[in-house]
Amino acid sequence: MSNNIILISGNELRRLFKSPLAWIIFSVVQFLVAIFFYMPLMTYLQPDSVASGLTNNVVSTMYGFAAYIILVISPLLTMRLFAEERQLGTIKLLFSSPISITELVLGKFFGIVIFYILIIAMITLMPASLLFGATLDLGQILSSIIGLCLLATTLVAIGLFFSSLTTSPVIAAVNTYGILFLLLLIKIAASNSSERTAEIFTYLSLDKHYDNFLNGIFNTIDLFYYITLSVFFICLCIWRLDIERVYK
Amino acid sequence: MIENKPLVSVNQLTRFYGKVCAIKDISFDINRGEILGLLGPNGAGKSTTMQIISGVLSANSGSVSIAGYDIQDSPKLAKKNIGFLPEQLPLYYDLTIDEYLLYAAKLRGIKKINLKEKIDICKERCGLENLGLRLINNLSKGYKQRVGLAQAIVHTPSIIILDEPTSGLDPKQILEIRELMHELSKNHSIILSTHILSEVETICDRVLIINKGNIVLDQHLKDLLSNKNSLEKTFLHLTENNKKINE
């Protein structure tokens, strides 16, 4: 079981790193996040700055911004997962091989999740460099990293599902953007509604839970939110591919 | 005991695409070492039948069993015995031949110890010996076809399913692929779909003609040709008749 998952995620990563896409995403993300690491750091170093701490001012700002970048690139990474296999016809190779659909979906899922963990590790090098000359709130940083990983995992699960719906990677990407922005903007709807509905809307919002992680608050509700969402979309994806063989 | 059982047994397969019936109540068996030619006009249901046998599609009703395993109930055990070459080649164009075959071999569950050996034998059989490092994208159509064939036989399956393996090849390549199939038939059973009737005449043991989703002929080639009918005549007769009925 697990061997096949490793095999498929390995192939996914190999093909990702063979294309320029992975390297370009690596460098663009690193460059943009570096800007949002450098700017708050410079502001913090001003003698007259009003600061609440290095970790809070610089590191949390950076991770907060990194989340938006990951949100924007995620559909581009996940759009090919199944759509391209269909386009190439390689899905028939996978379907006629002795692997289960669950293994296939989890393999693809973990492949991209590992890619994100690499990106997050690269980003984390920047705040880590501060450790040479300053003390940081390591707990808060760890919580930010966990939050970002969970957020990325959810984005992959959503993208994976939308990629399983279509033959065209672009359509998969557009659909994924649609649901991601909906989950992001849903908190705006909260401001105009009654207290009860506002609570629901805020709970559904994708980045609200991430804010808690950024502030160093590790709440099981937030953990539960990301994990439920991921499991939900992975199950939908498995189910979708399963019925495809019957109702194509 | 095992030798007497059919290797593949297809029972009353029916498959709809929406409301369109692609195949209807198709049943046939394939024995070990047999080469079965699947013939039929475009849209007759050849590809659908092959995809159901290889587990890519499910049938709406009916069953397929391969080497005694039902493809729906124990798909993993059944699929270990299958090598499938779809009409659209299932290739990753950004991989090299070696990388691709390694991935295909692992997908098919070959044990690590045998991996390199099996891939080398398979490359030799398909005439890909010195091309391992070439990107699939840069290969000519004929070589891509060979790589497609290679992924279908790398795990030495007991049944090889080939959907139009010679389409788009030049005459010399067609001959080479035919020779390869001859050699493969010593150890494997083959299901082969094609539009080229002479191909069936030269390599197949048995012919199955499908028209409009029904089997209209299932006969050993020897018997068929001994009736003084050429395959071409029989084919045209059977498929044309059906047209007239529908009109």
Side-chain angles (χ1 to χ4, degrees):
Chain A
M1 165 103 187
S2 60
N3 268 347
N4 285 335
I5 296 179
I6 294 168
L7 172 65
I8 289 164
S9 47
N11 186 56
E12 207 53 51
L13 277 174
R14 168 182 291 132
R15 294 191 51 231
L16 203 55
F17 279 107
K18 277 207 137 199
S19 73
L21 182 71
W23 302 102
I24 290 173
I25 284 180
F26 255 171
S27 52
V28 168
V29 169
Q30 194 75 0
F31 175 70
L32 291 177
V33 173
I35 293 176
F36 276 80
F37 173 69
Y38 180 76
M39 288 196 321
L41 185 63
M42 284 304 118
T43 321
Y44 180 80
L45 292 177
Q46 299 289 322
D48 55 343
S49 73
V50 187
S52 57
L54 186 59
T55 313
N56 231 353
N57 275 49
V58 178
V59 183
S60 290
T61 314
M62 186 202 85
Y63 278 115
F65 181 74
Y68 286 100
I69 299 195
I70 282 182
L71 199 102
V72 171
I73 58 162
S74 182
L76 301 175
L77 268 174
T78 53
M79 65 181 188
R80 341 173 347 273
L81 287 172
F82 284 108
E84 194 194 49
E85 299 272 7
R86 280 211 190 89
Q87 240 176 12
L88 293 174
T90 42
I91 194 120
K92 286 176 184 159
L93 168 68
L94 297 169
F95 278 172
S96 65
S97 295
I99 52 168
S100 70
I101 287 181
T102 312
E103 287 167 343
L104 176 61
V105 170
L106 288 179
K108 296 243 167 205
F109 171 75
F110 285 119
I112 305 295
V113 166
I114 290 168
F115 182 74
Y116 271 121
I117 290 175
L118 290 176
I119 290 187
I120 293 168
M122 294 275 287
I123 293 172
T124 304
L125 290 177
M126 287 187 274
S129 71
L130 290 179
L131 282 173
F132 288 112
T135 37
L136 293 172
D137 182 348
L138 291 181
Q140 191 176 354
I141 293 181
L142 187 66
S143 149
S144 301
I145 293 173
I146 292 173
L148 195 53
C149 287
L150 284 170
L151 178 70
T153 303
T154 311
L155 298 179
V156 176
I158 294 173
L160 189 70
F161 167 65
F162 281 106
S163 185
S164 75
L165 292 182
T166 159
T167 309
S168 150
V170 176
I171 291 176
V174 172
N175 277 333
T176 315
Y177 277 122
I179 192 91
L180 291 189
F181 283 112
L182 181 74
L183 284 174
L184 202 63
L185 300 175
I186 204 166
K187 61 182 175 189
I188 297 175
S191 58
N192 291 325
S193 43
S194 68
E195 204 172 312
R196 200 54 190 266
T197 31
E199 221 168 87
I200 296 172
F201 281 148
T202 324
Y203 179 76
L204 285 176
S205 148
L206 198 60
D207 58 339
K208 161 82 180 40
H209 299 274
Y210 182 53
D211 287 344
N212 286 342
F213 281 105
L214 279 185
N215 294 327
I217 304 165
F218 190 88
N219 200 332
T220 40
I221 285 187
D222 304 322
L223 187 72
F224 183 75
Y225 171 83
Y226 286 124
I227 289 178
T228 327
L229 213 55
S230 305
V231 171
F232 175 69
F233 277 103
I234 287 173
C235 289
L236 273 188
C237 183
I238 294 171
W239 178 64
R240 170 64 177 74
L241 289 173
D242 221 17
I243 62 164
E244 173 175 337
R245 294 198 275 198
V246 188
Y247 297 104
K248 192 170 146 193
Chain B
M1 266 305 276
I2 302 166
E3 293 296 322
N4 296 331
K5 273 188 183 171
L7 179 64
V8 178
S9 133
V10 176
N11 290 313
Q12 297 181 310
L13 285 188
T14 301
R15 164 80 200 201
F16 288 89
Y17 291 112
K19 280 183 180 163
V20 184
C21 182
I23 55 172
K24 201 169 149 191
D25 253 352
I26 283 190
S27 304
F28 59 92
D29 289 340
I30 300 162
N31 298 314
R32 275 170 204 277
E34 202 171 29
I35 305 187
L36 177 74
L38 209 55
L39 290 175
N42 285 324
K46 299 183 300 274
S47 288
T48 307
T49 310
M50 295 180 127
Q51 288 188 38
I52 292 174
I53 296 173
S54 55
V56 173
L57 293 176
S58 305
N60 294 99
S61 68
S63 66
V64 174
S65 93
I66 290 157
Y69 300 108
D70 189 282
I71 194 117
Q72 291 299 325
D73 298 339
S74 38
K76 280 197 178 183
L77 292 168
K79 285 176 182 175
K80 276 201 173 144
N81 295 295
I82 301 175
F84 180 41
L85 172 66
E87 199 179 349
Q88 185 194 1
L89 299 175
L91 303 176
Y92 294 104
Y93 294 97
D94 46 2
L95 295 184
T96 64
I97 294 180
D98 277 347
E99 286 169 333
Y100 176 73
L101 288 180
L102 186 69
Y103 180 55
K106 283 181 179 169
L107 272 180
R108 262 63 180 272
I110 298 181
K111 292 207 177 79
K112 254 197 181 144
I113 323 160
N114 305 330
L115 260 180
K116 207 184 164 311
E117 189 195 336
K118 287 222 172 185
I119 291 173
D120 284 345
I121 292 173
C122 163
K123 269 160 66 183
E124 196 191 312
R125 274 179 149 179
C126 298
L128 298 165
E129 291 102 328
N130 300 317
L131 300 166
L133 298 175
R134 290 274 293 273
L135 266 186
I136 292 179
N137 197 25
N138 300 338
L139 298 174
S140 68
K141 169 83 176 128
Y143 276 100
K144 280 178 187 157
Q145 194 79 34
R146 288 176 197 216
V147 180
L149 198 60
Q151 65 77 24
I153 63 171
V154 65
H155 52 308
T156 50
S158 36
I159 175 90
I160 304 171
I161 304 170
L162 306 171
D163 200 348
E164 300 194 12
T166 51
S167 71
L169 299 185
D170 68 38
K172 188 167 167 274
Q173 290 168 329
I174 290 181
L175 276 179
E176 284 170 358
I177 295 243
R178 275 186 206 170
E179 265 167 35
L180 178 62
M181 278 191 272
H182 249 304
E183 202 201 308
L184 288 173
S185 67
K186 287 172 196 159
N187 306 312
H188 312 261
S189 300
I190 300 177
I191 307 179
L192 166 82
S193 89
T194 178
H195 287 298
I196 309 163
L197 298 176
S198 63
E199 200 164 281
V200 176
E201 280 177 337
T202 45
I203 52 177
C204 294
D205 305 322
R206 208 172 116 204
V207 189
L208 204 73
I209 299 181
I210 300 183
N211 191 27
K212 314 245 171 191
N214 293 296
I215 294 182
V216 289
L217 180 93
D218 180 358
Q219 215 168 19
H220 283 278
L221 198 68
K222 273 186 219 155
D223 304 341
L224 182 72
L225 295 178
S226 66
N227 288 344
K228 289 186 183 171
N229 283 326
S230 75
L231 183 59
E232 192 179 348
K233 265 188 190 166
T234 317
F235 179 81
L236 289 176
H237 173 70
L238 286 168
T239 49
E240 207 169 301
N241 244 359
N242 220 316
K243 246 185 217 164
K244 279 177 189 159
I245 292 165
N246 277 312
E247 277 164 9

